[in-house]
Amino acid sequence: MVEVNRRDSYEEPREEESASVSWVARIASGIGLVLFLGSVGILGYEGLFRSGGDPVIALSVESVTHDGQRWLARVRAENTGGETGAQVRIAGQLMTGQTVVETAEAEFTYIPAGSTQEGGLFFDRDPKAHELRLRVLGYAKP
Amino acid sequence: MDTTRPMDTTRQRALLHDEKHFAHALARAGAGAVIFAFPLLMTMEMWELGFYMDRFRLALFMLITMPVLFGLSYFSGFEETFCWQDDLVDALTAFGVGFLVSAVLLYVFGIIAADQPMTEIVGKIALQSVPASIGAMLARKQLGEGDDPDEEQRKRSSYPGELFLMAAGALFVGFNVAPTEEMVLISYKMTPWHAILLAVLSVALLHVFVYRVGFAGQESRGKATFLHVFMRFTVAGYGIALLVSLYLLWTFERTGGLSMMELVTAMVVLGFPAALGAATARLIV
């Protein structure tokens, strides 16, 4: 990129001047080049190896707390798939045997591919006293 | 800035490569990036597009940004340049400034955080760095003093130069609204008659803004006939504005699943701000 044999015709600078671009300019443009190639490189790599496929969303309970009135189950949703899920609706069901005793729902606006989002489900009963079944209900393509 | 004062060329060139002068230009570029990019930095759709838009389209968008920055540096830029190496240095510097300004502001707004995945952070910053780096490049014209008018006029008067400036203006102004949901929403609300009316209005404003209203940088028609100028600049300019609109809609994934009629209407809707950008390119670039 630095080697130049033929110059553009609009101006004819002498050799020693183009070689004397100030060190500030060299550093600034060097940083710009690294950032440019780095981000294009990362995006190109992602495009080659990550794009396509469907959202694969796994749910897990982070913690269960009681706020004096209701029980809060904090939920973590991780998308290990290759696509972002939008408007991802999840439900948590408290089970006694095969009977659903209580259901709570939440919606995530976005769960980007490869990323984790957190939310919470409120229950009137103690989730620790029941089996808490988490389900992803559906999503929309962004 | 000293470069606009009459002085011999040797001294001008010495100034260009002077550290203090360059640091000054760098600070102005940062100011330009903040001023031009903050509306988009504060637009929700831009953050969302940053992580969900197709990675190849985003990478392609960035690859296209670099020659645009190079061309803008040739025509104006944040410091005066004298050879293509200088333009390359300035284009890369403007990108770096735009990238860093976007990164800092997105962090301060709480849009990016260290616990997000790499691709999400890079995507959000990369998308914002396009308008921010163009803003950094335009800082000279907008915030500093102008180029040597004779030299600038000479560069700009070529026909390809005119077309490039119109395309850059269309891209820059169109970009400011293209990511929003309203572009497609407006096109849903319009009938074909509305679309034709908007297209006619866009062409008329493009022509009037360039040749009639008397803005700074207005073109003079000279001896050329109305029809000649209209075909050569206005129609060509509107064609460029429509192509830029279509490209932006495709980049932001607004074209998927639309019928041909809806696609053309959306293109005409975004073509309106793009045509205004093409018409006023001489003012902002």
PDB file of all heavy atoms in Angstrom, chain A residues 4 7 10-11 13 17 20 22-25 32 36 43 47 110 114-115, chain B residues 13 17 19 22 48 51 55-56 62 74 82-83 85 87 92-93 95 117:
ATOM      1  N   VAL A   4       4.553   3.021  -4.204  1.00  0.00           N
ATOM      2  CA  VAL A   4       3.807   3.732  -5.240  1.00  0.00           C
ATOM      3  C   VAL A   4       4.668   3.887  -6.465  1.00  0.00           C
ATOM      4  O   VAL A   4       5.791   4.382  -6.388  1.00  0.00           O
ATOM      5  CB  VAL A   4       3.419   5.137  -4.765  1.00  0.00           C
ATOM      6  CG1 VAL A   4       2.574   5.797  -5.823  1.00  0.00           C
ATOM      7  CG2 VAL A   4       2.679   5.046  -3.476  1.00  0.00           C
ATOM      8  N   ARG A   7       1.477   7.932  -9.759  1.00  0.00           N
ATOM      9  CA  ARG A   7       0.671   8.805  -8.919  1.00  0.00           C
ATOM     10  C   ARG A   7      -0.549   9.292  -9.660  1.00  0.00           C
ATOM     11  O   ARG A   7      -0.568   9.341 -10.878  1.00  0.00           O
ATOM     12  CB  ARG A   7       1.494  10.028  -8.512  1.00  0.00           C
ATOM     13  CG  ARG A   7       2.554   9.669  -7.536  1.00  0.00           C
ATOM     14  CD  ARG A   7       3.296  10.920  -7.141  1.00  0.00           C
ATOM     15  NE  ARG A   7       4.437  10.559  -6.328  1.00  0.00           N
ATOM     16  CZ  ARG A   7       4.353  10.197  -5.077  1.00  0.00           C
ATOM     17  NH1 ARG A   7       3.188  10.147  -4.489  1.00  0.00           N
ATOM     18  NH2 ARG A   7       5.427   9.881  -4.397  1.00  0.00           N
ATOM     19  N   TYR A  10      -3.729  14.543 -10.267  1.00  0.00           N
ATOM     20  CA  TYR A  10      -4.172  15.870  -9.839  1.00  0.00           C
ATOM     21  C   TYR A  10      -3.125  16.671  -9.075  1.00  0.00           C
ATOM     22  O   TYR A  10      -3.227  17.859  -8.954  1.00  0.00           O
ATOM     23  CB  TYR A  10      -5.493  15.817  -9.060  1.00  0.00           C
ATOM     24  CG  TYR A  10      -5.533  15.027  -7.782  1.00  0.00           C
ATOM     25  CD1 TYR A  10      -5.170  15.617  -6.577  1.00  0.00           C
ATOM     26  CD2 TYR A  10      -5.961  13.695  -7.768  1.00  0.00           C
ATOM     27  CE1 TYR A  10      -5.234  14.914  -5.402  1.00  0.00           C
ATOM     28  CE2 TYR A  10      -6.024  12.990  -6.606  1.00  0.00           C
ATOM     29  CZ  TYR A  10      -5.652  13.594  -5.412  1.00  0.00           C
ATOM     30  OH  TYR A  10      -5.736  12.891  -4.236  1.00  0.00           O
ATOM     31  N   GLU A  11      -2.150  16.020  -8.554  1.00  0.00           N
ATOM     32  CA  GLU A  11      -1.083  16.773  -7.884  1.00  0.00           C
ATOM     33  C   GLU A  11       0.195  15.951  -7.993  1.00  0.00           C
ATOM     34  O   GLU A  11       0.171  14.734  -8.044  1.00  0.00           O
ATOM     35  CB  GLU A  11      -1.461  17.014  -6.424  1.00  0.00           C
ATOM     36  CG  GLU A  11      -0.674  18.111  -5.718  1.00  0.00           C
ATOM     37  CD  GLU A  11      -0.987  19.490  -6.263  1.00  0.00           C
ATOM     38  OE1 GLU A  11      -2.145  19.747  -6.680  1.00  0.00           O
ATOM     39  OE2 GLU A  11      -0.059  20.297  -6.290  1.00  0.00           O
ATOM     40  N   PRO A  13       3.252  15.504  -5.899  1.00  0.00           N
ATOM     41  CA  PRO A  13       4.113  15.755  -4.754  1.00  0.00           C
ATOM     42  C   PRO A  13       5.466  15.085  -4.944  1.00  0.00           C
ATOM     43  O   PRO A  13       5.566  14.082  -5.650  1.00  0.00           O
ATOM     44  CB  PRO A  13       3.349  15.109  -3.606  1.00  0.00           C
ATOM     45  CG  PRO A  13       2.473  14.105  -4.229  1.00  0.00           C
ATOM     46  CD  PRO A  13       2.338  14.395  -5.676  1.00  0.00           C
ATOM     47  N   GLU A  17       8.200  14.225   0.478  1.00  0.00           N
ATOM     48  CA  GLU A  17       7.089  14.758   1.253  1.00  0.00           C
ATOM     49  C   GLU A  17       6.085  13.685   1.641  1.00  0.00           C
ATOM     50  O   GLU A  17       5.640  13.631   2.771  1.00  0.00           O
ATOM     51  CB  GLU A  17       6.395  15.859   0.472  1.00  0.00           C
ATOM     52  CG  GLU A  17       7.099  17.172   0.683  1.00  0.00           C
ATOM     53  CD  GLU A  17       6.818  18.117  -0.444  1.00  0.00           C
ATOM     54  OE1 GLU A  17       6.095  17.745  -1.378  1.00  0.00           O
ATOM     55  OE2 GLU A  17       7.346  19.229  -0.378  1.00  0.00           O
ATOM     56  N   SER A  20       7.081  11.835   4.487  1.00  0.00           N
ATOM     57  CA  SER A  20       7.222  12.523   5.769  1.00  0.00           C
ATOM     58  C   SER A  20       5.880  12.783   6.434  1.00  0.00           C
ATOM     59  O   SER A  20       5.752  13.717   7.190  1.00  0.00           O
ATOM     60  CB  SER A  20       7.955  13.848   5.558  1.00  0.00           C
ATOM     61  OG  SER A  20       7.071  14.753   4.946  1.00  0.00           O
ATOM     62  N   SER A  22       3.301  12.915   9.084  1.00  0.00           N
ATOM     63  CA  SER A  22       3.692  13.029  10.490  1.00  0.00           C
ATOM     64  C   SER A  22       3.385  11.748  11.269  1.00  0.00           C
ATOM     65  O   SER A  22       2.514  10.969  10.890  1.00  0.00           O
ATOM     66  CB  SER A  22       2.974  14.208  11.132  1.00  0.00           C
ATOM     67  OG  SER A  22       1.750  13.777  11.680  1.00  0.00           O
ATOM     68  N   TRP A  23       4.109  11.532  12.351  1.00  0.00           N
ATOM     69  CA  TRP A  23       3.926  10.295  13.121  1.00  0.00           C
ATOM     70  C   TRP A  23       2.534  10.220  13.728  1.00  0.00           C
ATOM     71  O   TRP A  23       1.979   9.141  13.889  1.00  0.00           O
ATOM     72  CB  TRP A  23       5.019  10.154  14.180  1.00  0.00           C
ATOM     73  CG  TRP A  23       5.053  11.270  15.198  1.00  0.00           C
ATOM     74  CD1 TRP A  23       5.745  12.430  15.108  1.00  0.00           C
ATOM     75  CD2 TRP A  23       4.345  11.319  16.443  1.00  0.00           C
ATOM     76  NE1 TRP A  23       5.513  13.220  16.194  1.00  0.00           N
ATOM     77  CE2 TRP A  23       4.665  12.563  17.043  1.00  0.00           C
ATOM     78  CE3 TRP A  23       3.477  10.451  17.100  1.00  0.00           C
ATOM     79  CZ2 TRP A  23       4.137  12.945  18.263  1.00  0.00           C
ATOM     80  CZ3 TRP A  23       2.954  10.846  18.333  1.00  0.00           C
ATOM     81  CH2 TRP A  23       3.286  12.072  18.896  1.00  0.00           C
ATOM     82  N   VAL A  24       1.948  11.379  14.056  1.00  0.00           N
ATOM     83  CA  VAL A  24       0.580  11.364  14.579  1.00  0.00           C
ATOM     84  C   VAL A  24      -0.366  10.794  13.529  1.00  0.00           C
ATOM     85  O   VAL A  24      -1.217   9.947  13.815  1.00  0.00           O
ATOM     86  CB  VAL A  24       0.123  12.786  14.981  1.00  0.00           C
ATOM     87  CG1 VAL A  24      -1.247  12.729  15.650  1.00  0.00           C
ATOM     88  CG2 VAL A  24       1.119  13.439  15.896  1.00  0.00           C
ATOM     89  N   ALA A  25      -0.181  11.256  12.276  1.00  0.00           N
ATOM     90  CA  ALA A  25      -1.038  10.772  11.190  1.00  0.00           C
ATOM     91  C   ALA A  25      -0.827   9.287  10.955  1.00  0.00           C
ATOM     92  O   ALA A  25      -1.773   8.547  10.699  1.00  0.00           O
ATOM     93  CB  ALA A  25      -0.740  11.558   9.920  1.00  0.00           C
ATOM     94  N   GLY A  32      -6.853   3.261  12.667  1.00  0.00           N
ATOM     95  CA  GLY A  32      -8.036   3.144  11.812  1.00  0.00           C
ATOM     96  C   GLY A  32      -7.997   1.886  10.961  1.00  0.00           C
ATOM     97  O   GLY A  32      -8.989   1.176  10.838  1.00  0.00           O
ATOM     98  N   PHE A  36     -10.583  -1.164  11.138  1.00  0.00           N
ATOM     99  CA  PHE A  36     -11.342  -1.488   9.923  1.00  0.00           C
ATOM    100  C   PHE A  36     -11.181  -2.969   9.565  1.00  0.00           C
ATOM    101  O   PHE A  36     -12.169  -3.692   9.412  1.00  0.00           O
ATOM    102  CB  PHE A  36     -10.873  -0.601   8.771  1.00  0.00           C
ATOM    103  CG  PHE A  36     -11.578  -0.881   7.479  1.00  0.00           C
ATOM    104  CD1 PHE A  36     -12.886  -0.464   7.291  1.00  0.00           C
ATOM    105  CD2 PHE A  36     -10.941  -1.568   6.456  1.00  0.00           C
ATOM    106  CE1 PHE A  36     -13.548  -0.729   6.104  1.00  0.00           C
ATOM    107  CE2 PHE A  36     -11.598  -1.830   5.265  1.00  0.00           C
ATOM    108  CZ  PHE A  36     -12.899  -1.411   5.092  1.00  0.00           C
ATOM    109  N   LEU A  43     -16.696  -9.731  11.231  1.00  0.00           N
ATOM    110  CA  LEU A  43     -18.024  -9.855  10.617  1.00  0.00           C
ATOM    111  C   LEU A  43     -18.002 -10.889   9.500  1.00  0.00           C
ATOM    112  O   LEU A  43     -18.928 -11.694   9.367  1.00  0.00           O
ATOM    113  CB  LEU A  43     -18.483  -8.498  10.076  1.00  0.00           C
ATOM    114  CG  LEU A  43     -18.726  -7.420  11.140  1.00  0.00           C
ATOM    115  CD1 LEU A  43     -18.936  -6.070  10.496  1.00  0.00           C
ATOM    116  CD2 LEU A  43     -19.923  -7.788  12.000  1.00  0.00           C
ATOM    117  N   GLY A  47     -20.070 -14.254   9.355  1.00  0.00           N
ATOM    118  CA  GLY A  47     -20.926 -14.518   8.206  1.00  0.00           C
ATOM    119  C   GLY A  47     -20.677 -15.901   7.634  1.00  0.00           C
ATOM    120  O   GLY A  47     -21.609 -16.600   7.238  1.00  0.00           O
ATOM    121  N   TYR A 110     -35.394  -9.318  22.208  1.00  0.00           N
ATOM    122  CA  TYR A 110     -34.407  -9.957  21.343  1.00  0.00           C
ATOM    123  C   TYR A 110     -33.523 -10.884  22.155  1.00  0.00           C
ATOM    124  O   TYR A 110     -33.143 -10.548  23.273  1.00  0.00           O
ATOM    125  CB  TYR A 110     -33.465  -8.922  20.702  1.00  0.00           C
ATOM    126  CG  TYR A 110     -34.104  -8.112  19.611  1.00  0.00           C
ATOM    127  CD1 TYR A 110     -34.526  -6.817  19.856  1.00  0.00           C
ATOM    128  CD2 TYR A 110     -34.262  -8.633  18.337  1.00  0.00           C
ATOM    129  CE1 TYR A 110     -35.109  -6.061  18.858  1.00  0.00           C
ATOM    130  CE2 TYR A 110     -34.838  -7.892  17.327  1.00  0.00           C
ATOM    131  CZ  TYR A 110     -35.264  -6.605  17.593  1.00  0.00           C
ATOM    132  OH  TYR A 110     -35.837  -5.853  16.612  1.00  0.00           O
ATOM    133  N   GLY A 114     -25.833 -16.313  19.939  1.00  0.00           N
ATOM    134  CA  GLY A 114     -24.618 -16.387  20.758  1.00  0.00           C
ATOM    135  C   GLY A 114     -24.677 -15.543  22.013  1.00  0.00           C
ATOM    136  O   GLY A 114     -23.656 -15.309  22.643  1.00  0.00           O
ATOM    137  N   SER A 115     -25.872 -15.067  22.388  1.00  0.00           N
ATOM    138  CA  SER A 115     -25.906 -14.173  23.548  1.00  0.00           C
ATOM    139  C   SER A 115     -26.877 -14.661  24.619  1.00  0.00           C
ATOM    140  O   SER A 115     -27.660 -15.585  24.407  1.00  0.00           O
ATOM    141  CB  SER A 115     -26.248 -12.754  23.082  1.00  0.00           C
ATOM    142  OG  SER A 115     -27.383 -12.265  23.701  1.00  0.00           O
TER     143      SER A 115
ATOM    144  N   ARG B  13       2.430  22.369   2.167  1.00  0.00           N
ATOM    145  CA  ARG B  13       2.732  20.945   2.310  1.00  0.00           C
ATOM    146  C   ARG B  13       3.416  20.667   3.625  1.00  0.00           C
ATOM    147  O   ARG B  13       3.198  19.643   4.241  1.00  0.00           O
ATOM    148  CB  ARG B  13       3.616  20.488   1.152  1.00  0.00           C
ATOM    149  CG  ARG B  13       2.784  20.372  -0.102  1.00  0.00           C
ATOM    150  CD  ARG B  13       3.572  19.770  -1.205  1.00  0.00           C
ATOM    151  NE  ARG B  13       2.740  19.751  -2.396  1.00  0.00           N
ATOM    152  CZ  ARG B  13       3.206  19.843  -3.612  1.00  0.00           C
ATOM    153  NH1 ARG B  13       4.507  19.961  -3.809  1.00  0.00           N
ATOM    154  NH2 ARG B  13       2.398  19.808  -4.624  1.00  0.00           N
ATOM    155  N   HIS B  17       1.901  18.035   7.038  1.00  0.00           N
ATOM    156  CA  HIS B  17       2.548  16.928   7.734  1.00  0.00           C
ATOM    157  C   HIS B  17       3.067  17.342   9.109  1.00  0.00           C
ATOM    158  O   HIS B  17       3.886  16.665   9.698  1.00  0.00           O
ATOM    159  CB  HIS B  17       3.668  16.364   6.860  1.00  0.00           C
ATOM    160  CG  HIS B  17       3.130  15.818   5.563  1.00  0.00           C
ATOM    161  ND1 HIS B  17       3.470  16.330   4.349  1.00  0.00           N
ATOM    162  CD2 HIS B  17       2.239  14.838   5.345  1.00  0.00           C
ATOM    163  CE1 HIS B  17       2.821  15.671   3.399  1.00  0.00           C
ATOM    164  NE2 HIS B  17       2.058  14.761   3.971  1.00  0.00           N
ATOM    165  N   GLU B  19       2.683  17.888  13.076  1.00  0.00           N
ATOM    166  CA  GLU B  19       1.945  17.171  14.123  1.00  0.00           C
ATOM    167  C   GLU B  19       0.806  18.002  14.709  1.00  0.00           C
ATOM    168  O   GLU B  19      -0.306  17.533  14.872  1.00  0.00           O
ATOM    169  CB  GLU B  19       2.877  16.768  15.278  1.00  0.00           C
ATOM    170  CG  GLU B  19       3.651  15.505  15.021  1.00  0.00           C
ATOM    171  CD  GLU B  19       4.962  15.777  14.339  1.00  0.00           C
ATOM    172  OE1 GLU B  19       5.510  16.876  14.571  1.00  0.00           O
ATOM    173  OE2 GLU B  19       5.439  14.930  13.574  1.00  0.00           O
ATOM    174  N   PHE B  22      -2.072  18.353  12.400  1.00  0.00           N
ATOM    175  CA  PHE B  22      -2.827  17.112  12.244  1.00  0.00           C
ATOM    176  C   PHE B  22      -3.662  16.829  13.492  1.00  0.00           C
ATOM    177  O   PHE B  22      -4.805  16.394  13.404  1.00  0.00           O
ATOM    178  CB  PHE B  22      -1.902  15.942  11.949  1.00  0.00           C
ATOM    179  CG  PHE B  22      -2.653  14.701  11.562  1.00  0.00           C
ATOM    180  CD1 PHE B  22      -3.087  14.520  10.258  1.00  0.00           C
ATOM    181  CD2 PHE B  22      -2.959  13.726  12.505  1.00  0.00           C
ATOM    182  CE1 PHE B  22      -3.803  13.399   9.901  1.00  0.00           C
ATOM    183  CE2 PHE B  22      -3.674  12.601  12.156  1.00  0.00           C
ATOM    184  CZ  PHE B  22      -4.099  12.431  10.844  1.00  0.00           C
ATOM    185  N   GLU B  48     -30.342  -2.546  17.258  1.00  0.00           N
ATOM    186  CA  GLU B  48     -30.879  -3.873  16.958  1.00  0.00           C
ATOM    187  C   GLU B  48     -30.288  -4.417  15.665  1.00  0.00           C
ATOM    188  O   GLU B  48     -29.872  -5.576  15.599  1.00  0.00           O
ATOM    189  CB  GLU B  48     -32.407  -3.795  16.874  1.00  0.00           C
ATOM    190  CG  GLU B  48     -33.027  -3.496  18.241  1.00  0.00           C
ATOM    191  CD  GLU B  48     -34.459  -3.008  18.167  1.00  0.00           C
ATOM    192  OE1 GLU B  48     -34.967  -2.850  17.042  1.00  0.00           O
ATOM    193  OE2 GLU B  48     -35.054  -2.779  19.238  1.00  0.00           O
ATOM    194  N   PHE B  51     -26.850  -6.077  15.865  1.00  0.00           N
ATOM    195  CA  PHE B  51     -26.616  -7.480  16.206  1.00  0.00           C
ATOM    196  C   PHE B  51     -27.373  -8.476  15.358  1.00  0.00           C
ATOM    197  O   PHE B  51     -26.947  -9.606  15.227  1.00  0.00           O
ATOM    198  CB  PHE B  51     -26.803  -7.757  17.706  1.00  0.00           C
ATOM    199  CG  PHE B  51     -28.174  -7.539  18.274  1.00  0.00           C
ATOM    200  CD1 PHE B  51     -29.213  -8.374  17.957  1.00  0.00           C
ATOM    201  CD2 PHE B  51     -28.395  -6.507  19.170  1.00  0.00           C
ATOM    202  CE1 PHE B  51     -30.479  -8.169  18.499  1.00  0.00           C
ATOM    203  CE2 PHE B  51     -29.652  -6.303  19.707  1.00  0.00           C
ATOM    204  CZ  PHE B  51     -30.692  -7.133  19.372  1.00  0.00           C
ATOM    205  N   ARG B  55     -24.411 -10.620   8.617  1.00  0.00           N
ATOM    206  CA  ARG B  55     -23.016 -10.207   8.805  1.00  0.00           C
ATOM    207  C   ARG B  55     -22.329  -9.846   7.491  1.00  0.00           C
ATOM    208  O   ARG B  55     -21.501  -8.945   7.440  1.00  0.00           O
ATOM    209  CB  ARG B  55     -22.231 -11.308   9.512  1.00  0.00           C
ATOM    210  CG  ARG B  55     -22.780 -11.737  10.856  1.00  0.00           C
ATOM    211  CD  ARG B  55     -22.528 -10.726  11.929  1.00  0.00           C
ATOM    212  NE  ARG B  55     -23.691  -9.886  12.166  1.00  0.00           N
ATOM    213  CZ  ARG B  55     -23.793  -9.006  13.146  1.00  0.00           C
ATOM    214  NH1 ARG B  55     -22.818  -8.854  14.021  1.00  0.00           N
ATOM    215  NH2 ARG B  55     -24.862  -8.272  13.281  1.00  0.00           N
ATOM    216  N   PHE B  56     -22.673 -10.573   6.405  1.00  0.00           N
ATOM    217  CA  PHE B  56     -22.047 -10.275   5.116  1.00  0.00           C
ATOM    218  C   PHE B  56     -22.471  -8.898   4.603  1.00  0.00           C
ATOM    219  O   PHE B  56     -21.665  -8.150   4.064  1.00  0.00           O
ATOM    220  CB  PHE B  56     -22.410 -11.337   4.078  1.00  0.00           C
ATOM    221  CG  PHE B  56     -21.540 -12.549   4.159  1.00  0.00           C
ATOM    222  CD1 PHE B  56     -22.099 -13.812   4.231  1.00  0.00           C
ATOM    223  CD2 PHE B  56     -20.161 -12.426   4.181  1.00  0.00           C
ATOM    224  CE1 PHE B  56     -21.290 -14.931   4.319  1.00  0.00           C
ATOM    225  CE2 PHE B  56     -19.347 -13.535   4.261  1.00  0.00           C
ATOM    226  CZ  PHE B  56     -19.918 -14.801   4.331  1.00  0.00           C
ATOM    227  N   MET B  62     -19.341  -1.918   5.134  1.00  0.00           N
ATOM    228  CA  MET B  62     -18.114  -1.290   5.618  1.00  0.00           C
ATOM    229  C   MET B  62     -17.071  -1.215   4.518  1.00  0.00           C
ATOM    230  O   MET B  62     -16.331  -0.235   4.425  1.00  0.00           O
ATOM    231  CB  MET B  62     -17.577  -2.059   6.811  1.00  0.00           C
ATOM    232  CG  MET B  62     -18.578  -2.081   7.931  1.00  0.00           C
ATOM    233  SD  MET B  62     -17.880  -2.793   9.373  1.00  0.00           S
ATOM    234  CE  MET B  62     -16.730  -1.517   9.786  1.00  0.00           C
ATOM    235  N   TYR B  74     -10.847  13.286  -0.984  1.00  0.00           N
ATOM    236  CA  TYR B  74     -10.363  13.931  -2.212  1.00  0.00           C
ATOM    237  C   TYR B  74     -11.112  15.237  -2.456  1.00  0.00           C
ATOM    238  O   TYR B  74     -10.516  16.256  -2.793  1.00  0.00           O
ATOM    239  CB  TYR B  74     -10.537  12.954  -3.374  1.00  0.00           C
ATOM    240  CG  TYR B  74     -10.197  13.518  -4.723  1.00  0.00           C
ATOM    241  CD1 TYR B  74      -8.941  14.074  -4.975  1.00  0.00           C
ATOM    242  CD2 TYR B  74     -11.124  13.478  -5.757  1.00  0.00           C
ATOM    243  CE1 TYR B  74      -8.631  14.578  -6.214  1.00  0.00           C
ATOM    244  CE2 TYR B  74     -10.814  13.979  -7.004  1.00  0.00           C
ATOM    245  CZ  TYR B  74      -9.574  14.540  -7.230  1.00  0.00           C
ATOM    246  OH  TYR B  74      -9.270  15.037  -8.460  1.00  0.00           O
ATOM    247  N   PHE B  82      -2.999  16.415  -0.680  1.00  0.00           N
ATOM    248  CA  PHE B  82      -2.310  16.743  -1.932  1.00  0.00           C
ATOM    249  C   PHE B  82      -1.965  15.538  -2.781  1.00  0.00           C
ATOM    250  O   PHE B  82      -1.547  15.672  -3.900  1.00  0.00           O
ATOM    251  CB  PHE B  82      -1.043  17.541  -1.628  1.00  0.00           C
ATOM    252  CG  PHE B  82      -1.354  18.857  -0.990  1.00  0.00           C
ATOM    253  CD1 PHE B  82      -1.312  18.989   0.383  1.00  0.00           C
ATOM    254  CD2 PHE B  82      -1.736  19.934  -1.760  1.00  0.00           C
ATOM    255  CE1 PHE B  82      -1.638  20.197   0.978  1.00  0.00           C
ATOM    256  CE2 PHE B  82      -2.063  21.138  -1.170  1.00  0.00           C
ATOM    257  CZ  PHE B  82      -2.009  21.265   0.204  1.00  0.00           C
ATOM    258  N   CYS B  83      -2.079  14.340  -2.257  1.00  0.00           N
ATOM    259  CA  CYS B  83      -1.816  13.174  -3.079  1.00  0.00           C
ATOM    260  C   CYS B  83      -2.651  12.027  -2.520  1.00  0.00           C
ATOM    261  O   CYS B  83      -3.229  12.140  -1.441  1.00  0.00           O
ATOM    262  CB  CYS B  83      -0.337  12.805  -3.069  1.00  0.00           C
ATOM    263  SG  CYS B  83       0.290  12.386  -1.445  1.00  0.00           S
ATOM    264  N   GLN B  85      -1.977   9.209  -1.249  1.00  0.00           N
ATOM    265  CA  GLN B  85      -1.578   8.613   0.029  1.00  0.00           C
ATOM    266  C   GLN B  85      -2.177   9.399   1.191  1.00  0.00           C
ATOM    267  O   GLN B  85      -2.600   8.819   2.185  1.00  0.00           O
ATOM    268  CB  GLN B  85      -0.045   8.596   0.182  1.00  0.00           C
ATOM    269  CG  GLN B  85       0.648   7.649  -0.749  1.00  0.00           C
ATOM    270  CD  GLN B  85       1.150   8.347  -1.994  1.00  0.00           C
ATOM    271  OE1 GLN B  85       0.512   9.272  -2.491  1.00  0.00           O
ATOM    272  NE2 GLN B  85       2.286   7.914  -2.496  1.00  0.00           N
ATOM    273  N   ASP B  87      -4.961  11.049   1.053  1.00  0.00           N
ATOM    274  CA  ASP B  87      -6.391  10.726   1.103  1.00  0.00           C
ATOM    275  C   ASP B  87      -6.614   9.393   1.797  1.00  0.00           C
ATOM    276  O   ASP B  87      -7.568   9.232   2.552  1.00  0.00           O
ATOM    277  CB  ASP B  87      -6.979  10.681  -0.318  1.00  0.00           C
ATOM    278  CG  ASP B  87      -7.113  12.073  -0.917  1.00  0.00           C
ATOM    279  OD1 ASP B  87      -7.376  13.014  -0.141  1.00  0.00           O
ATOM    280  OD2 ASP B  87      -6.947  12.214  -2.124  1.00  0.00           O
ATOM    281  N   LEU B  92      -8.587   6.377   6.455  1.00  0.00           N
ATOM    282  CA  LEU B  92      -8.392   5.425   7.557  1.00  0.00           C
ATOM    283  C   LEU B  92      -8.529   6.119   8.901  1.00  0.00           C
ATOM    284  O   LEU B  92      -9.127   5.582   9.838  1.00  0.00           O
ATOM    285  CB  LEU B  92      -7.017   4.761   7.448  1.00  0.00           C
ATOM    286  CG  LEU B  92      -6.864   3.773   6.293  1.00  0.00           C
ATOM    287  CD1 LEU B  92      -5.426   3.335   6.149  1.00  0.00           C
ATOM    288  CD2 LEU B  92      -7.761   2.560   6.516  1.00  0.00           C
ATOM    289  N   THR B  93      -7.978   7.340   8.992  1.00  0.00           N
ATOM    290  CA  THR B  93      -8.071   8.087  10.249  1.00  0.00           C
ATOM    291  C   THR B  93      -9.530   8.407  10.570  1.00  0.00           C
ATOM    292  O   THR B  93      -9.973   8.237  11.711  1.00  0.00           O
ATOM    293  CB  THR B  93      -7.260   9.387  10.153  1.00  0.00           C
ATOM    294  OG1 THR B  93      -5.914   9.043   9.810  1.00  0.00           O
ATOM    295  CG2 THR B  93      -7.271  10.128  11.466  1.00  0.00           C
ATOM    296  N   PHE B  95     -12.117   6.764   9.655  1.00  0.00           N
ATOM    297  CA  PHE B  95     -12.779   5.539  10.099  1.00  0.00           C
ATOM    298  C   PHE B  95     -12.453   5.250  11.565  1.00  0.00           C
ATOM    299  O   PHE B  95     -13.338   4.944  12.362  1.00  0.00           O
ATOM    300  CB  PHE B  95     -12.388   4.340   9.225  1.00  0.00           C
ATOM    301  CG  PHE B  95     -13.110   3.094   9.647  1.00  0.00           C
ATOM    302  CD1 PHE B  95     -14.401   2.858   9.207  1.00  0.00           C
ATOM    303  CD2 PHE B  95     -12.536   2.197  10.541  1.00  0.00           C
ATOM    304  CE1 PHE B  95     -15.097   1.748   9.637  1.00  0.00           C
ATOM    305  CE2 PHE B  95     -13.232   1.081  10.973  1.00  0.00           C
ATOM    306  CZ  PHE B  95     -14.510   0.855  10.512  1.00  0.00           C
ATOM    307  N   PRO B 117     -21.666 -10.793  23.824  1.00  0.00           N
ATOM    308  CA  PRO B 117     -20.737 -11.505  22.943  1.00  0.00           C
ATOM    309  C   PRO B 117     -20.039 -10.555  21.971  1.00  0.00           C
ATOM    310  O   PRO B 117     -20.581  -9.508  21.615  1.00  0.00           O
ATOM    311  CB  PRO B 117     -21.633 -12.502  22.196  1.00  0.00           C
ATOM    312  CG  PRO B 117     -23.015 -12.044  22.407  1.00  0.00           C
ATOM    313  CD  PRO B 117     -23.048 -11.230  23.648  1.00  0.00           C
TER     314      PRO B 117
END
